[in-house]
Amino acid sequence: MSNRNCKKSHRWWQDSFMTTNAPALALTIAGSEATGGAGAQADLKTFQELNVFGIVNLTCIVSFDPNDNWNHRFVPVDQQTIADQLEATTASYGPASGAPSVLETVKIGMMGSPATISTVEAALKATSFKNVVLDPVLICKGQEPGHALDTDQALKAQILPLATFVTPNHFEAESLSGITINNIEDLKAAARKIHEISGAAVLAKGGVRIAGADAVDVFFDGETLEVLTAPKVGEVAVSGAGCSLAAAITAELAKGATPLEAARTAKAFVTEGIKHRVTSGAPFTALWQGGARG
Ligand code: PXL
């Protein structure tokens, strides 16, 4: 085959498959968790599983320390490198890129420092994304508490107001709402309060922290309040469940689901992933994103 033919056949391939079957796009701005259970790895696997073209811009690298109670060793990516990744991504797929499929949906995972929050805030303000899903990862085990507090405050002040959907766990919902959560009524009050503060749709997760046979989450978007329940699978939190839930919401929103539909699909996806969780030498199991395949 001549070079010319080769080029022609390449174009034919592109036209027939790539443009007609273009997947929805989603970006996660998140940290790497080296063992693959949580963070950017969980997000990317979830996107792929839900038929969404996933993009990762890394904020930090977390390596659990088996010699220190599996606490997190945390290394930030430098600010210029985070900004460079965001620039590359928005130039390729952002609203002004001219791409046939535009990136409208972003998930915010672990930021890890006030500096990273400012870098990401600037990028979110420069590109108006339709869906900004915030998984408000507040405290990372092993992080210095003073530093974590600064990060929490910056997240609340700078990123939460830009979010269209927020997925706090029990601890994060208490911190964001100021409400102590002991039961489902408290979780509902917290979801309402976080919506009031942020204007975002909220999925407040009770997980294994609220007593009872079911894992209960509360959805509230200012109009609809829905309690999502699924039977608990064990009584111990599974690594990657929170990341995968928010990533599944992100993927579903990218494909055009409503926030409530996205929350329901994500809950079912995560429940199956927990049922098929993966055991390792670490003292926790990891969610398997392929669990919903049947
Ligand atoms: O599950 C929260 C989380 C998010 N992102 C990163 C993490 C973790 C928890 O380990 O390491 C990078």
Side-chain angles (χ1 to χ4, degrees):
M1 197 190 274
S2 72
N3 275 347
R4 227 176 130 187
N5 278 344
C6 195
K7 213 170 176 185
K8 203 171 163 194
S9 90
H10 175 67
R11 288 229 177 88
W12 167 83
W13 168 270
Q14 277 190 325
D15 290 348
S16 313
F17 291 101
M18 291 178 155
T19 52
T20 53
N21 287 334
L25 310 173
L27 164 66
T28 180
I29 308 173
S32 163
E33 189 277 277
T35 69
Q41 289 88 336
D43 294 346
L44 199 56
K45 286 185 271 186
T46 300
F47 291 164
Q48 183 75 14
E49 201 64 37
L50 295 173
N51 294 317
V52 167
F53 181 91
I55 304 167
V56 172
N57 289 187
L58 270 194
T59 56
C60 60
I61 298 177
V62 170
S63 313
F64 300 140
D65 187 350
N67 300 311
D68 179 22
N69 194 28
W70 298 85
N71 275 324
H72 292 188
R73 290 172 292 197
F74 166 82
V75 178
V77 172
D78 75 82
Q79 296 310 310
Q80 188 58 52
T81 307
I82 296 172
D84 289 351
Q85 294 174 76
L86 291 161
E87 183 185 24
T89 300
T90 46
S92 301
Y93 296 110
S97 64
S101 247
V102 171
L103 176 65
E104 295 182 316
T105 305
V106 56
K107 181 198 158 196
I108 314 290
M110 186 169 165
M111 299 284 98
S113 77
T116 298
I117 286 167
S118 294
T119 301
V120 171
E121 178 196 11
L124 292 179
K125 285 183 169 165
T127 307
S128 49
F129 293 103
K130 185 173 163 204
N131 305 303
V132 177
V133 180
L134 172 63
D135 186 15
V137 181
L138 289 186
I139 286 190
C140 181
K141 208 178 162 204
Q143 258 189 317
E144 197 266 305
H147 179 74
L149 195 66
D150 284 356
T151 304
D152 294 1
Q153 282 167 354
L155 198 71
K156 283 179 209 167
Q158 295 170 246
I159 306 290
L160 188 61
L162 303 175
T164 63
F165 201 129
V166 58
T167 62
N169 64 20
H170 180 265
F171 169 77
E172 293 153 355
E174 285 191 334
S175 168
L176 293 175
S177 67
I179 295 169
T180 303
I181 302 168
N182 292 318
N183 53 45
I184 298 172
E185 290 312 310
D186 296 338
L187 196 61
K188 286 182 189 171
R192 286 184 183 277
K193 179 80 189 181
I194 296 166
H195 170 75
E196 209 179 284
I197 297 166
S198 64
V202 179
L203 186 65
K205 302 173 285 179
V208 293
R209 310 256 178 257
I210 291 182
D214 289 334
V216 178
D217 303 329
V218 172
F219 174 90
F220 184 63
D221 64 359
E223 286 176 9
T224 305
L225 186 136
E226 183 163 305
V227 177
L228 284 77
T229 59
K232 274 184 192 162
V233 185
E235 283 289 337
V236 180
V238 170
S239 178
C243 300
S244 300
L245 183 84
I249 289 169
T250 306
E252 293 304 305
L253 293 175
K255 292 186 289 189
T258 66
L260 181 56
E261 287 165 352
R264 288 179 182 149
T265 305
K267 172 96 174 165
F269 178 84
V270 163
T271 301
E272 290 307 311
I274 292 173
K275 284 185 195 160
H276 296 88
R277 61 200 179 279
V278 175
T279 301
S280 70
F284 38 79
T285 54
L287 179 142
W288 164 229
Q289 286 79 12
R293 281 177 207 168

